[in-house]
Amino acid sequence: MTLNSRDPEGSIARTAKACSNWGRWGEDDVLGTLNFLDEGKRREGAALVSRGVSFSLSQRFDMNGPQKGWRRRTNPVHTMLDTGTDAALGIQGFPHGIGGADDVIVMPLQCSTQWDGLGHIFDHGKAWNGRASEKVVTSEGDLVTGIEHMAAYVAGRGVLLDVGRAVGTGGELPDGFAITEEHLTATAAAHGVTVGRGDIVLVRTGQLARARREGWGDYAGGAAPGLSFTTAGWLHGSEIAAIATDTWGFEVRPNEFEHAFQPLHQVAIPHIGLLIGEMWDLESLAEDCAVDGVYEFWLTAAPLPITGAVGSPVNPIAVK
Amino acid sequence: MTLNSRDPEGSIARTAKACSNWGRWGEDDVLGTLNFLDEGKRREGAALVSRGVSFSLSQRFDMNGPQKGWRRRTNPVHTMLDTGTDAALGIQGFPHGIGGADDVIVMPLQCSTQWDGLGHIFDHGKAWNGRASEKVVTSEGDLVTGIEHMAAYVAGRGVLLDVGRAVGTGGELPDGFAITEEHLTATAAAHGVTVGRGDIVLVRTGQLARARREGWGDYAGGAAPGLSFTTAGWLHGSEIAAIATDTWGFEVRPNEFEHAFQPLHQVAIPHIGLLIGEMWDLESLAEDCAVDGVYEFWLTAAPLPITGAVGSPVNPIAVK
Amino acid sequence: MTLNSRDPEGSIARTAKACSNWGRWGEDDVLGTLNFLDEGKRREGAALVSRGVSFSLSQRFDMNGPQKGWRRRTNPVHTMLDTGTDAALGIQGFPHGIGGADDVIVMPLQCSTQWDGLGHIFDHGKAWNGRASEKVVTSEGDLVTGIEHMAAYVAGRGVLLDVGRAVGTGGELPDGFAITEEHLTATAAAHGVTVGRGDIVLVRTGQLARARREGWGDYAGGAAPGLSFTTAGWLHGSEIAAIATDTWGFEVRPNEFEHAFQPLHQVAIPHIGLLIGEMWDLESLAEDCAVDGVYEFWLTAAPLPITGAVGSPVNPIAVK
Amino acid sequence: MTLNSRDPEGSIARTAKACSNWGRWGEDDVLGTLNFLDEGKRREGAALVSRGVSFSLSQRFDMNGPQKGWRRRTNPVHTMLDTGTDAALGIQGFPHGIGGADDVIVMPLQCSTQWDGLGHIFDHGKAWNGRASEKVVTSEGDLVTGIEHMAAYVAGRGVLLDVGRAVGTGGELPDGFAITEEHLTATAAAHGVTVGRGDIVLVRTGQLARARREGWGDYAGGAAPGLSFTTAGWLHGSEIAAIATDTWGFEVRPNEFEHAFQPLHQVAIPHIGLLIGEMWDLESLAEDCAVDGVYEFWLTAAPLPITGAVGSPVNPIAVK
């Protein structure tokens, strides 16, 4: 697929049509490509556990995150309702020496390691499966495809494509680097791993490692390596269940069209129905894979079933 | 173990001493009984996946939960930053037809399905491993044993003990019913399942099913079936990694001592170092187990790595 | 004015037309009836200060409020970021002995004593001054008539109409009692006070006193005394700047039409452009007025200038 | 008073002792210097209303504020629960054409224009009036001197000291400029205004004007003009009720002692019991005063009565 950078609307429209899964799983579908992740795939994934070692693929949730206020996205604010200092001073009013601590969090659901729900992006007023966006996501939340519907299903075979190591320099791709289908397939070949229907694909660019070393800078929304718009056909045709990256926005930034904003999202979420993960921390898993050469594993990445949410923080766990 | 209901402080002190794991995993330990969940246990757990079917053990996170304001615990409040109604009306200012929805959540970390972290409960000013509570949990959060330290590890073999079905009437235990070691072992025997070192044990009382049928009432803090204080020895000696129930508070309410408040917590968290889950939804899993007679499974229950948190919402995923 | 309870839509439409102030202060108006509160009125109000005694007309903002979750309205949640217990234990890291406490609040802007902004209510998709509601209030807030525009102006002559004492029994009106224009004028006459252009009128029903005595019950949204729909003409013709009550919803509940929801709001806010206050605590002021017989005073009720807000918590201060 | 910059602890201790108001208003006092603002002062203040023009002295509360996350202080986050877009699309479910918008705010109480409560600062574990800080401010908030106790009282005579215009260049003092008693008295003399017992004094440095012109930079916590530590005696001896500035921290930054942190706070709040306002917007009021030469006015600056709060956002209203 080639890309005409001066025709964003036409390109997006043609790609959307070519990649559409609307109606594929019926009128009432609320799962999108998660339908590809079936019981057979889970059996296949579980069989990959050989050493029993587990990895968290989540960044920490705290004030030291990358958010700067764009779209009113802040970093998580965690406050205490009761503390050990209170308990130590004996002022909590509980009997027989028991003391307690309790806490609260305030956070945008897109603030850190997360899944985009199917109601997160629209194309010309259309949400996943062709529904009118105003019938789906109101001020009360996503009334149709809320992330709670996915609660039980995001567990299966995970595959890491460490494009940063396979294609980049020093294990990292530079900001603005567009990852093409060729990069993805070359990386899989280099890893000796296959990607197919129902898989959860993790693409490491190395940008998070760079941000940790150099400071967040514009990690939340600025220039970044990421998937090229031209991978839409591969995302659709490979029949993967989900994809996640170590970057803020999954696709390459700046976007490849003039004056565009996340055109691959515009195809992938409302038309393909693809579950997209962002800001995942793939560092420790990737180091392990580089050592043992095994790039497939059991992966559980369960969104919190927040009713009507268009996204969810997540702590994905990979087990090899 | 017998219980002298008129000597809470003495009973708690004796039980705490008998069950203490302080120092067992070194001075710097931040994992408690999660240390029992090792790689071998994960291999054992993964091998239990035979059908590939997955279950979410989480309640939904929304305003329709049981919280009534006790200890300033509210139900989760989910609000939108951008909506599909905005997108449909073309007022979002994005180019080329893309629209988006975004959201925010405010919630106490103990509001619904959750893990208690090791900093959640103290005994006479002492936190897990004998640390002074004021050195552990300040207004900035748990500086030592924050739940983020557990992020990678809570995946292993899960065992359901459906005490409600095995011992109760109509599948449910009445409020105030104290589950003893005998009930637990009889239930395991009835299920044909063993419980041992490193397991994550799920105890179903049936109270959640009752609350769904009859309304929340005082589900959050009121009378409930739950573990007897006398199970402390079993919790310690069995060397389980974690335990979770379908009730608000894990142990029986009212508590078995006069004027007491969660005495089993007072032993289990600071002294045993036990990871405790509460308000889990075991209904669909339990129905499945009742049908196929298989009460063990692969379980991932990954807390969000909220820095310094003394608990975390969780969407546990069981796979059989 | 008589009321046909079986024709809500027609009645509302006719009343709205009769009472409309659309265009009265120009196309760009963002103040509504607050335009009536001019400098002369402020001079008149300030001249009413004779004793120098001040009254807060605000309820306290905390978890012990009346909200039960309707429309996701909760009571305010106040948490600490730093505490005196932390400071006492010397763990804050500040030099030379200084310690500090800091705090955070989460609250719906309509949770307690508040002003309704002009963007709070619409009639058939029309906001104040005839604007299309979707051009005024999006997910980003009120882009046109946000409460911040009123920040400087809500200070003037206040008048208390203690209808509870003048018309009720034991100083209180029963729930469901509809206050008519006749009740208002009779109360003013009994108090020896006049109401006119630019005044801020406070109507005490006594319901808050009852709720304090008997518990909140359904104070937030249930049955209540309040203004009759038939007072719309008086609200318009009297040219008052603002009105506030000690009830949740300003108008009588249940509403006087079948299957209606706050029909007087539907006229008063989008058509009259009236600033409406709710859940004000008029008790101590009213007691003072009953003693000294003076029902007019200097009143400042400054909304927080929250950008784009459709309401604001407020601590109104009356000075006599 | 001279200042030995190398002896912060000794200087603070001596100044605290010299300026202490502990016990002055009895053991149970919760108002501090607000006790000076009596009914006579309110009569005096009200008499200053001559033109009837009113000014808001509040910054706007929104995401565009100066907070960057220090001490987990964020800018206010305002989200909608219902919108005019929802209403326009007819999806709200209300009868007879009524539509509504509702909103929520999350904010640190110190995020923008605010009052510091008496529980905000401690000196060596002592709060206002000599109380032990751990008895005053726990995780539940300020149990003794919460800002709700001041709800009715902050209304009286305001005096503007525009030190920026009187002493500075181009109406502004440079960052790091320490305002001394001499500057204050010279400014008052230049304005032809007196300052005395019970007054609310507003000190304009011009820094906010500069921040508006040049960007926030480090407005929240960085270098700033402000009161010198040496003004402690004047703050005490003048018997003013309250003082507020247009800067983040009221006192000069960097502080005048080595390695110090807000030493004037350490004296002013716990020892003098002084009500301190910060981040006030004095620009429009100051311009008006420069024109008419009148620097005294009626001022209402009512904190929200948030139970147990150690500070409060405020929209102060000055009327001339």
Side-chain angles (χ1 to χ4, degrees):
Chain A
M1 174 182 173
T2 58
L3 183 146
N4 180 348
S5 71
R6 287 175 299 183
D7 181 23
E9 289 239 22
S11 300
I12 292 166
R14 280 187 299 275
T15 308
K17 189 173 178 189
C19 298
S20 175
N21 282 327
W22 288 3
R24 183 168 185 164
W25 297 285
E27 290 281 303
D28 297 332
D29 182 68
V30 295
L31 295 179
T33 55
L34 203 47
N35 283 289
F36 290 129
L37 205 179
D38 59 13
E39 299 186 356
K41 181 56 66 173
R42 275 192 209 100
R43 291 192 299 268
E44 184 186 343
L48 297 171
V49 174
S50 60
R51 290 157 52 205
V53 62
S54 59
F55 301 87
S56 165
L57 311 184
S58 177
Q59 296 188 36
R60 288 191 180 183
F61 287 76
D62 60 38
M63 283 294 286
N64 296 316
Q67 303 298 336
K68 293 179 169 177
W70 180 73
R71 290 181 78 182
R72 286 173 290 164
R73 289 184 187 162
T74 62
N75 293 307
V77 179
H78 171 241
T79 63
M80 302 306 296
L81 293 164
D82 293 291
T83 65
T85 47
D86 287 6
L89 291 163
I91 59 171
Q92 294 193 315
F94 293 119
H96 311 319
I98 190 172
D102 237 36
D103 39 14
V104 177
I105 200 161
V106 181
M107 62 176 164
L109 298 180
Q110 301 271 334
C111 63
S112 186
T113 305
Q114 105 280 11
W115 284 120
D116 287 351
L118 290 176
H120 180 51
I121 298 291
F122 316 110
D123 180 21
H124 290 86
K126 294 296 180 185
W128 161 240
N129 226 22
R131 298 180 181 102
S133 67
E134 73 270 22
K135 303 287 188 187
V136 179
V137 187
T138 74
S139 294
E140 295 196 36
D142 186 329
L143 308 174
V144 180
T145 47
I147 201 121
E148 71 274 17
H149 297 291
M150 294 182 169
Y153 303 118
V154 195
R157 177 178 182 255
V159 178
L160 175 67
L161 298 183
D162 191 344
V163 186
R165 275 189 174 80
V167 176
T169 304
E172 298 173 17
L173 302 175
D175 293 340
F177 186 97
I179 300 170
T180 63
E181 179 177 341
E182 289 68 34
H183 294 125
L184 294 172
T185 52
T187 300
H191 293 346
V193 75
T194 60
V195 171
R197 180 175 173 133
D199 286 331
I200 303 169
V201 179
L202 314 182
V203 177
R204 183 185 170 278
T205 70
Q207 196 204 19
L208 180 61
R210 187 159 61 246
R212 290 228 167 100
R213 193 174 61 240
E214 301 180 358
W216 285 120
D218 289 325
Y219 179 83
L227 269 70
S228 168
F229 181 78
T230 60
T231 61
W234 183 86
L235 292 171
H236 175 250
S238 62
E239 299 189 340
I240 59 173
I243 190 165
T245 66
D246 58 350
T247 64
W248 168 81
F250 156 68
E251 58 186 293
V252 63
R253 301 272 296 163
N255 301 128
E256 296 153 292
F257 296 109
E258 291 171 2
H259 310 300
F261 184 69
Q262 302 298 73
L264 186 53
H265 275 73
Q266 195 172 345
V267 171
I269 294 179
H271 294 284
I272 304 181
L274 184 63
L275 186 61
I276 297 175
E278 289 158 339
M279 299 181 63
W280 290 34
D281 180 356
L282 305 173
E283 293 309 295
S284 59
L285 174 65
E287 282 180 34
D288 187 86
C289 294
V291 169
D292 75 357
V294 178
Y295 284 83
E296 56 184 349
F297 36 82
W298 173 251
L299 179 66
T300 306
L304 283 183
I306 301 164
T307 307
V310 299
S312 174
V314 65
N315 177 10
I317 303 292
V319 186
K320 296 176 73 172
Chain B
M1 175 184 174
T2 59
L3 182 147
N4 180 348
S5 72
R6 288 175 299 184
D7 181 22
E9 290 239 21
S11 301
I12 293 166
R14 281 186 299 274
T15 307
K17 190 174 178 190
C19 298
S20 174
N21 283 327
W22 288 4
R24 183 168 185 163
W25 297 286
E27 291 281 304
D28 297 333
D29 182 67
V30 295
L31 295 179
T33 55
L34 203 46
N35 283 288
F36 291 130
L37 205 178
D38 58 14
E39 300 186 357
K41 180 56 66 173
R42 273 190 212 103
R43 291 193 299 267
E44 184 186 343
L48 296 171
V49 174
S50 61
R51 290 157 52 205
V53 63
S54 59
F55 301 87
S56 165
L57 311 184
S58 177
Q59 296 187 36
R60 288 192 179 181
F61 287 76
D62 60 38
M63 284 293 287
N64 296 315
Q67 303 298 336
K68 293 179 170 178
W70 181 73
R71 291 180 78 180
R72 286 173 289 164
R73 288 184 187 162
T74 62
N75 293 308
V77 179
H78 171 239
T79 63
M80 301 306 296
L81 293 164
D82 293 291
T83 64
T85 47
D86 287 7
L89 292 164
I91 59 171
Q92 295 192 314
F94 293 120
H96 311 320
I98 191 171
D102 238 37
D103 39 13
V104 177
I105 200 161
V106 181
M107 61 177 164
L109 298 180
Q110 300 271 333
C111 63
S112 185
T113 305
Q114 106 279 14
W115 284 120
D116 286 351
L118 289 175
H120 180 51
I121 298 290
F122 316 110
D123 180 21
H124 290 85
K126 293 296 180 188
W128 161 241
N129 225 23
R131 299 179 181 102
S133 67
E134 73 270 21
K135 303 285 189 190
V136 178
V137 187
T138 73
S139 293
E140 296 197 35
D142 186 330
L143 308 174
V144 180
T145 47
I147 201 124
E148 72 275 16
H149 297 291
M150 294 183 169
Y153 303 118
V154 195
R157 177 180 181 251
V159 177
L160 176 68
L161 298 183
D162 191 343
V163 187
R165 275 190 174 80
V167 176
T169 303
E172 298 173 16
L173 302 175
D175 293 339
F177 185 96
I179 299 170
T180 63
E181 179 177 341
E182 289 68 34
H183 293 126
L184 295 172
T185 53
T187 299
H191 293 346
V193 76
T194 59
V195 171
R197 180 177 173 132
D199 286 331
I200 303 169
V201 179
L202 313 183
V203 177
R204 183 184 170 277
T205 70
Q207 195 204 20
L208 180 61
R210 186 159 61 248
R212 290 228 167 101
R213 194 175 58 242
E214 301 180 357
W216 285 119
D218 290 325
Y219 179 83
L227 269 71
S228 168
F229 182 78
T230 61
T231 61
W234 183 86
L235 292 171
H236 175 250
S238 62
E239 299 188 338
I240 59 173
I243 190 166
T245 67
D246 57 349
T247 64
W248 168 81
F250 156 67
E251 58 185 295
V252 63
R253 302 271 298 162
N255 301 129
E256 296 153 293
F257 296 109
E258 291 171 3
H259 310 301
F261 184 69
Q262 302 298 73
L264 186 53
H265 275 71
Q266 194 173 346
V267 171
I269 294 179
H271 294 284
I272 303 182
L274 183 63
L275 186 60
I276 297 176
E278 289 158 338
M279 298 181 63
W280 290 34
D281 180 355
L282 305 173
E283 293 309 296
S284 59
L285 174 64
E287 282 181 34
D288 186 86
C289 294
V291 169
D292 75 356
V294 178
Y295 284 84
E296 57 184 349
F297 36 82
W298 173 239
L299 179 66
T300 306
L304 284 183
I306 302 164
T307 308
V310 298
S312 174
V314 65
N315 177 10
I317 303 292
V319 186
K320 296 176 73 172
Chain C
M1 173 182 174
T2 58
L3 183 146
N4 180 349
S5 71
R6 287 176 301 184
D7 181 23
E9 289 239 21
S11 300
I12 292 166
R14 282 187 298 275
T15 307
K17 189 174 179 189
C19 297
S20 175
N21 282 326
W22 289 3
R24 185 170 184 162
W25 297 287
E27 291 280 304
D28 297 333
D29 182 67
V30 295
L31 295 178
T33 56
L34 203 46
N35 283 289
F36 291 130
L37 203 178
D38 60 13
E39 298 186 357
K41 181 56 65 174
R42 273 190 211 101
R43 291 193 299 270
E44 184 185 343
L48 296 171
V49 174
S50 61
R51 291 155 54 204
V53 63
S54 58
F55 301 87
S56 165
L57 311 183
S58 177
Q59 297 187 35
R60 288 192 179 180
F61 288 75
D62 60 37
M63 282 295 287
N64 297 315
Q67 303 298 336
K68 293 180 170 178
W70 181 74
R71 289 181 79 180
R72 286 173 289 165
R73 288 183 186 162
T74 62
N75 292 307
V77 178
H78 171 239
T79 63
M80 303 305 295
L81 293 164
D82 294 290
T83 65
T85 46
D86 287 5
L89 291 164
I91 59 171
Q92 295 192 315
F94 293 120
H96 310 319
I98 190 172
D102 237 39
D103 39 13
V104 178
I105 200 162
V106 181
M107 63 176 163
L109 299 179
Q110 301 271 335
C111 64
S112 186
T113 305
Q114 105 278 15
W115 283 120
D116 286 350
L118 289 176
H120 180 52
I121 297 289
F122 316 110
D123 180 21
H124 290 86
K126 294 296 180 186
W128 161 241
N129 226 19
R131 298 178 182 105
S133 67
E134 73 270 22
K135 303 286 189 188
V136 179
V137 187
T138 73
S139 293
E140 295 197 36
D142 186 330
L143 309 173
V144 180
T145 47
I147 202 121
E148 72 274 18
H149 297 290
M150 295 182 167
Y153 303 117
V154 195
R157 177 179 182 253
V159 178
L160 175 68
L161 299 183
D162 191 344
V163 187
R165 275 188 174 78
V167 176
T169 303
E172 298 172 17
L173 302 175
D175 293 339
F177 185 97
I179 301 170
T180 63
E181 179 176 343
E182 290 67 36
H183 293 126
L184 295 172
T185 52
T187 299
H191 293 345
V193 75
T194 59
V195 172
R197 179 177 173 133
D199 286 332
I200 302 168
V201 179
L202 313 183
V203 177
R204 182 185 171 278
T205 69
Q207 195 205 20
L208 180 60
R210 187 159 62 246
R212 290 227 167 101
R213 193 174 61 242
E214 301 179 358
W216 285 118
D218 290 324
Y219 179 84
L227 270 71
S228 168
F229 182 78
T230 62
T231 61
W234 182 87
L235 292 171
H236 176 250
S238 61
E239 298 187 340
I240 59 174
I243 190 164
T245 67
D246 57 350
T247 64
W248 167 81
F250 155 67
E251 58 186 295
V252 63
R253 301 269 300 161
N255 301 128
E256 296 152 294
F257 296 109
E258 291 172 1
H259 310 301
F261 184 69
Q262 302 298 73
L264 186 53
H265 275 72
Q266 194 173 346
V267 171
I269 294 180
H271 294 283
I272 303 181
L274 183 63
L275 186 61
I276 297 176
E278 289 159 338
M279 298 181 62
W280 290 34
D281 180 355
L282 305 173
E283 293 309 296
S284 59
L285 174 65
E287 282 180 36
D288 187 86
C289 294
V291 169
D292 76 356
V294 178
Y295 285 83
E296 56 184 349
F297 35 83
W298 175 233
L299 179 66
T300 305
L304 284 183
I306 301 165
T307 307
V310 298
S312 175
V314 65
N315 176 10
I317 303 292
V319 187
K320 296 176 74 174
Chain D
M1 173 182 175
T2 59
L3 182 145
N4 179 348
S5 71
R6 286 175 300 184
D7 180 23
E9 289 239 22
S11 300
I12 292 167
R14 282 186 299 275
T15 307
K17 189 173 179 190
C19 297
S20 175
N21 281 327
W22 289 3
R24 184 169 184 163
W25 297 286
E27 291 281 304
D28 297 332
D29 182 67
V30 295
L31 296 178
T33 55
L34 202 47
N35 283 289
F36 291 130
L37 204 178
D38 60 13
E39 298 186 358
K41 180 56 65 174
R42 275 192 208 100
R43 291 193 298 268
E44 184 186 343
L48 296 171
V49 175
S50 62
R51 292 156 52 205
V53 63
S54 57
F55 301 87
S56 165
L57 311 183
S58 177
Q59 296 187 35
R60 288 193 179 180
F61 287 75
D62 60 37
M63 283 294 288
N64 297 315
Q67 303 298 337
K68 293 179 171 179
W70 182 73
R71 290 181 78 180
R72 286 173 288 164
R73 288 184 187 162
T74 62
N75 292 307
V77 178
H78 171 240
T79 63
M80 302 305 296
L81 293 164
D82 293 291
T83 65
T85 47
D86 288 5
L89 291 164
I91 59 171
Q92 295 192 314
F94 293 119
H96 311 319
I98 191 172
D102 238 38
D103 39 13
V104 178
I105 201 161
V106 181
M107 62 177 163
L109 299 179
Q110 301 270 335
C111 63
S112 186
T113 305
Q114 105 279 11
W115 283 121
D116 287 349
L118 290 176
H120 180 52
I121 298 290
F122 317 109
D123 180 21
H124 290 85
K126 293 296 180 187
W128 161 241
N129 226 21
R131 299 179 181 102
S133 67
E134 73 269 22
K135 303 286 190 190
V136 179
V137 187
T138 73
S139 294
E140 295 197 35
D142 186 329
L143 308 174
V144 180
T145 47
I147 201 121
E148 72 273 18
H149 297 290
M150 295 182 167
Y153 303 116
V154 194
R157 178 180 181 253
V159 178
L160 175 68
L161 298 183
D162 191 344
V163 187
R165 275 189 174 78
V167 176
T169 304
E172 299 172 17
L173 302 175
D175 293 339
F177 186 96
I179 301 170
T180 63
E181 179 176 342
E182 290 67 34
H183 293 127
L184 295 172
T185 53
T187 299
H191 293 347
V193 75
T194 59
V195 171
R197 179 179 174 131
D199 286 331
I200 302 168
V201 179
L202 313 182
V203 177
R204 183 184 170 279
T205 69
Q207 195 204 20
L208 179 61
R210 187 160 60 247
R212 290 228 167 101
R213 194 174 59 240
E214 301 179 357
W216 285 119
D218 290 325
Y219 180 83
L227 270 71
S228 168
F229 182 79
T230 61
T231 61
W234 182 86
L235 292 172
H236 176 251
S238 62
E239 299 187 340
I240 59 173
I243 190 165
T245 67
D246 57 349
T247 64
W248 168 80
F250 156 68
E251 58 185 294
V252 63
R253 302 270 299 163
N255 301 129
E256 296 153 293
F257 296 109
E258 290 171 4
H259 309 301
F261 184 68
Q262 303 297 73
L264 186 54
H265 275 72
Q266 194 172 347
V267 172
I269 294 180
H271 294 283
I272 303 181
L274 183 63
L275 186 61
I276 298 176
E278 289 158 339
M279 298 180 63
W280 290 34
D281 180 356
L282 305 173
E283 293 309 295
S284 60
L285 174 66
E287 282 179 35
D288 187 86
C289 294
V291 169
D292 76 357
V294 179
Y295 285 83
E296 57 184 349
F297 36 84
W298 172 253
L299 180 65
T300 306
L304 284 184
I306 301 165
T307 308
V310 299
S312 174
V314 65
N315 177 10
I317 304 292
V319 187
K320 298 176 74 173

